[in-house]
Amino acid sequence: MGGRKVCVVGSGNWGSAIAKIVGSNAAKLEQFETTVNMWVFEEEVGGKKLTEIINTQHENVKYLPGHKLPPNVVAVPDLLKASTGADILIFVVPHQFIRKLCEQLKDHVKKETIGVSLIKGVDEGPEGLKLISHVIHEWLGIEMSVLMGANIANEVAEEKFCETTIGCKNLEHGRILKELMQTRNFRITVVPEADTVEICGALKNVVAVGAGFCDGLSFGDNTKAAVIRLGLMEMITFAKLFCKGPVTSSTFLESCGIADLITTCYGGRNRRVAEAFARTGKVPPLHCCVSDLL
């Protein structure tokens, strides 16, 4: 007791994988409170509440089946109860729900709370495009960091080696988040260009659609490689126009940039939906079109 209290806001595929890491580390490191709350949107699975299943079987049988969560990860269906007193809030929900969640959390979060967004995408509102971390900051007034990288949730849960990037303007917060999330097989690099790191997580999906069209039209690997390279150049150009502050090419060489781009262009859902459309002329069901956000 006495360490920083952690809450994971979200419990889908990616949220549960991160909760597995965070719960395991929090149980071992004295600077964090042992119990990690995970907010779960309540639903029934096989006639039982999902939160009850998670808290008794220690497994998210719907979104991350086959992977045990540490027993100190507690599923909580009430957002305010889950986040009460949190010193660290980890946001990992589909981007379209973030405003509604922030509206509920407003005035219930400590100003000194450290926030980190794992949400890949951008918010489209009346003022144009906004980074998700900026939306959260505007609603809650807390300092935000982001985590983005080539991190397929199931592979992370299986503890296969991968890298990721934390974009953090406050390097002390970056140090704390790295301690909370890094493992032997989940390696983290902290960089100061938070906006650049975050926009990479959104733009790589656009390039992946182009890569999927190449696959669906049987254009070959040479063409696909060209699309990926040109797409990366466009990502850099867009970031320099869109992001405030410096945008350096070295950030695009981190996991949030080129590595996430490659992974998504070869294995992501955006690539698959574009390939299916090019081959059949039909759009697959909506759930197949969603980016790897859960």
Side-chain angles (χ1 to χ4, degrees):
M1 298 299 292
R4 290 183 172 87
K5 186 175 182 179
V6 181
C7 173
V8 180
V9 181
S11 58
N13 188 231
W14 186 210
S16 296
I18 283 297
K20 180 182 177 184
I21 290 175
V22 169
S24 179
N25 282 349
K28 296 182 292 186
L29 302 173
E30 62 181 14
Q31 59 265 46
F32 304 106
E33 189 172 306
T34 300
T35 299
V36 173
N37 284 348
M38 178 174 70
W39 174 68
V40 175
F41 180 78
E42 191 68 280
E43 53 188 308
E44 286 197 356
V45 179
K48 295 182 179 179
K49 293 181 178 180
L50 182 57
T51 53
E52 293 179 359
I53 295 173
I54 293 173
N55 289 334
T56 56
Q57 300 181 23
H58 306 296
E59 180 182 349
N60 190 333
V61 295
K62 182 168 184 179
Y63 296 108
L64 194 66
H67 298 283
K68 290 295 183 180
L69 298 175
N72 59 311
V73 173
V74 178
V76 182
D78 186 291
L79 178 60
L80 294 185
K81 288 183 179 179
S83 60
T84 296
D87 300 295
I88 299 175
L89 285 173
I90 302 171
F91 294 91
V92 53
V93 295
H95 68 88
Q96 61 265 35
F97 301 129
I98 195 62
R99 287 183 178 271
K100 183 178 180 180
L101 292 178
C102 285
E103 186 176 1
Q104 296 179 55
L105 288 171
K106 185 176 173 61
D107 300 324
H108 294 280
V109 177
K110 298 184 294 185
K111 297 302 180 184
E112 62 272 20
T113 296
I114 299 172
V116 56
S117 172
L118 280 63
I119 303 169
K120 293 181 178 180
V122 291
D123 181 77
E124 182 183 6
E127 300 174 6
L129 298 180
K130 281 188 179 180
L131 296 174
I132 301 299
S133 65
H134 290 191
V135 173
I136 298 171
H137 172 73
E138 290 174 3
W139 274 93
L140 306 183
I142 61 175
E143 193 163 350
M144 289 295 300
S145 301
V146 297
L147 183 150
M148 304 282 156
N151 307 139
I152 296 174
N154 283 358
E155 293 186 12
V156 173
E158 292 166 6
E159 300 182 14
K160 294 181 179 179
F161 181 85
C162 68
E163 299 177 309
T164 197
T165 310
I166 289 179
C168 192
K169 297 173 184 176
N170 184 324
L171 293 184
E172 174 60 17
H173 288 181
R175 181 190 65 79
I176 294 169
L177 293 171
K178 182 173 181 176
E179 289 179 353
L180 177 63
M181 297 183 180
Q182 181 165 265
T183 70
R184 182 179 64 178
N185 291 319
F186 189 67
R187 307 304 295 176
I188 295 174
T189 300
V190 179
V191 301
E193 293 178 17
D195 289 358
T196 304
V197 171
E198 185 169 6
I199 199 63
C200 281
L203 296 180
K204 54 95 178 184
N205 288 323
V206 180
V207 183
V209 171
F213 286 146
C214 289
D215 292 337
L217 297 170
S218 301
F219 282 167
D221 290 336
N222 291 340
T223 306
K224 186 173 179 178
V227 167
I228 294 172
R229 187 193 72 81
L230 291 168
L232 178 61
M233 298 300 295
E234 290 292 328
M235 287 171 58
I236 295 172
T237 301
F238 184 93
K240 289 180 177 178
L241 292 172
F242 181 78
C243 298
K244 297 179 181 179
V247 175
T248 57
S249 298
S250 60
T251 300
F252 291 88
L253 299 179
E254 299 292 346
S255 182
C256 64
I258 185 65
D260 198 9
L261 179 62
I262 291 171
T263 297
T264 307
C265 286
Y266 280 88
R269 297 179 188 177
N270 291 276
R271 186 211 66 80
R272 292 199 298 272
V273 71
E275 179 185 17
F277 179 76
R279 291 191 187 281
T280 67
K282 298 179 181 179
V283 178
L286 183 60
H287 71 273
C288 297
C289 307
V290 179
S291 304
D292 296 33
L293 300 172
L294 297 178

